Amino acid sequence: MTVTYSNAIKGMDINIKSARLSNGSAFPDAGSLSGASIPNENPLSGDATMGGAPDGRDLPEYVDFEWRESPRSPPDPTPMDPLSQAHKDWEKNMMDDFYSQPIKKQRVVIRNRVPAEVVNAVTGANRHSPSDQLTPASIEIFFIWTDNGIKLRWQIWHRPPSGIQYYSHHGGDEIVPAGTTMIAGYSNTTKNDKFTVILGGPDGAPMRYPASASGPYFSGTPGFAYTSRPIAGGERLVAFESEPELPEWVEFNWRLFPTSIPRKFLESDSAYAGRVSDVYDSLIKKHERILVRSRIPREVRDEITAATHNAEPHKVASSVIYLYFVWTDSGIKLHWRLKRSRPDKTFISVREGGDQVPQSDG
């Protein structure tokens, strides 16, 4: 198990006081987490990642967290001379203010929320792994601080001998940071499930037009494996935006890379690495530009624009649109889903459209 901590609260730092398991023992924590500070920050990119149990068999029942929240920036003005009495008084006032903040508590249940198929997939992948080597797969658990408490996400992180890492089996809480009005997910439904989609690399990362407040790149470049539920939990969430306009288009470069390249008998590390590189170079490079804005009905776009303009600090937006980019045997399909917030800060789907995509309930 790998644990990743993230803070999606804009302008607020998280200071973890304690993290304890059901038996009272300490659970490794990140200490402090800086608040989101750049536009369109992805809460699943993580602020701190650390190792945990080697596989899913030892998932904790729950973790009890205690923490304080404090403003990310200290109060101004800051006295320039650190040895002056004014600076000492300023520092004392800042610490007094910090310790005056209430200690917040939350129990995050883990074991009962991670499906058995996820645990079985990891233990199966690691069954023949040498004990002195990094296991080829692990469950990655995300603890994400939001304005509405700690949210839990999970996925399988694959690290095959080929060195091409990828992810599968995504799930957990819905993550909608305050003010976010567009979330994008990637899914792979190609019939040959022995391949994973590898984006970017020397061919370039996904791009959006026009550029957002954080730049022209649409997302990171994760590899993602086959799923039978591309718009129902199998997608990998990759982009969170609060832009006045949806992208006109998003452009992708990708290849389909084998999830496994077996080593030959007595093959050296250098020979194996060279063969993997040759396999990658021989793969067909694909490129596709997906129109987005023109595919969304005007009234839906207007609702998202209004939600962006009316967004309030530390509150979820009134509406959010999900864009699903689904890789199929006939190219990338776009499906969208409009959701509206409810009084309890959760979201309900009210409308969807776009391409029809392969979907299974399994």
Side-chain angles (χ1 to χ4, degrees):
M1 181 180 74
T2 304
V3 179
T4 295
Y5 288 90
S6 182
N7 177 12
I9 306 176
K10 288 182 172 61
M12 298 293 288
D13 288 346
I14 300 298
N15 301 275
I16 302 174
K17 185 174 183 290
S18 69
R20 297 201 171 275
L21 298 169
S22 57
N23 62 5
S25 62
F27 184 76
D29 67 74
S32 62
L33 301 167
S34 296
S37 59
I38 62 174
N40 306 323
E41 192 165 358
N42 183 349
L44 295 175
S45 61
D47 292 318
T49 299
M50 54 195 67
D55 58 41
R57 290 172 294 186
D58 296 315
L59 286 175
E61 181 182 355
Y62 60 79
V63 179
D64 281 329
F65 288 102
E66 295 186 2
W67 75 94
R68 281 189 176 95
E69 299 174 6
S70 60
R72 191 170 192 272
S73 300
D76 288 329
T78 304
M80 299 300 293
D81 182 0
L83 300 180
S84 68
Q85 185 61 46
H87 192 282
K88 293 177 182 178
D89 292 342
W90 171 86
E91 191 173 57
K92 180 180 183 300
N93 290 336
M94 185 175 65
M95 295 308 297
D96 287 345
D97 181 67
F98 171 76
Y99 284 110
S100 70
Q101 301 301 316
I103 296 175
K104 297 186 176 183
K105 301 179 181 182
Q106 184 176 334
R107 173 170 294 178
V108 182
V109 175
I110 301 174
R111 188 185 302 159
N112 290 344
R113 298 199 54 204
V114 180
E117 66 180 84
V118 174
V119 177
N120 293 338
V122 170
T123 54
N126 296 338
R127 186 169 291 119
H128 302 295
S129 176
S131 59
D132 60 343
Q133 295 183 14
L134 182 67
T135 55
S138 66
I139 298 176
E140 186 170 16
I141 298 293
F142 291 85
F143 296 109
I144 304 170
W145 269 255
T146 75
D147 289 286
N148 299 303
I150 305 171
K151 304 298 182 182
L152 178 75
R153 294 284 299 180
W154 67 80
Q155 64 186 10
I156 298 181
W157 179 14
H158 299 266
R159 303 176 295 268
S162 67
I164 304 295
Q165 301 182 18
Y166 64 95
Y167 300 87
S168 70
H169 295 76
H170 315 280
D173 292 320
E174 184 170 43
I175 307 296
V176 184
T180 296
T181 51
M182 190 283 288
I183 297 175
Y186 296 163
S187 302
N188 172 19
T189 65
T190 53
K191 290 181 180 177
N192 191 337
D193 60 5
K194 300 301 182 185
F195 284 79
T196 183
V197 174
I198 300 296
L199 292 171
D203 306 316
M207 306 286 285
R208 76 172 330 267
Y209 179 83
S212 70
S214 52
Y217 296 108
F218 185 64
S219 71
T221 56
F224 44 101
Y226 172 86
T227 179
S228 60
R229 298 178 294 114
I231 59 174
E235 68 279 0
R236 188 168 198 265
L237 303 178
V238 295
F240 296 74
E241 293 188 353
S242 305
E243 295 291 324
E245 283 279 6
L246 295 172
E248 184 176 324
W249 49 256
V250 180
E251 201 164 69
F252 297 97
N253 296 291
W254 81 96
R255 311 182 196 205
L256 288 178
F257 193 84
T259 55
S260 175
I261 300 179
R263 295 186 74 138
K264 296 180 180 179
F265 183 63
L266 297 180
E267 186 175 29
S268 67
D269 290 345
S270 60
Y272 179 69
R275 189 159 60 86
V276 169
S277 179
D278 290 342
V279 169
Y280 182 84
D281 291 339
S282 68
L283 297 173
I284 298 174
K285 304 175 186 178
K286 298 186 178 182
H287 172 92
E288 195 166 349
R289 175 179 292 181
I290 306 300
L291 298 178
V292 177
R293 192 187 304 166
S294 62
R295 303 276 314 276
I296 311 296
R298 165 59 69 179
E299 60 271 21
V300 174
R301 291 171 10 222
D302 288 346
E303 181 171 334
I304 293 301
T305 298
T308 303
H309 286 310
N310 296 329
E312 299 180 52
H314 305 293
K315 292 185 179 181
V316 295
S318 58
S319 302
V320 61
I321 189 169
Y322 280 73
L323 303 179
Y324 302 92
F325 296 90
V326 183
W327 272 252
T328 74
D329 291 293
S330 56
I332 304 173
K333 306 299 183 184
L334 173 68
H335 193 85
W336 58 267
R337 182 175 290 148
L338 177 67
K339 294 188 176 185
R340 292 179 185 147
S341 62
R342 296 185 282 197
D344 63 357
K345 307 300 188 296
T346 61
F347 284 80
I348 183 172
S349 297
V350 295
R351 188 173 176 181
E352 62 184 295
D355 296 318
Q356 296 297 313
V357 296
Q359 184 74 9
S360 169
D361 294 330

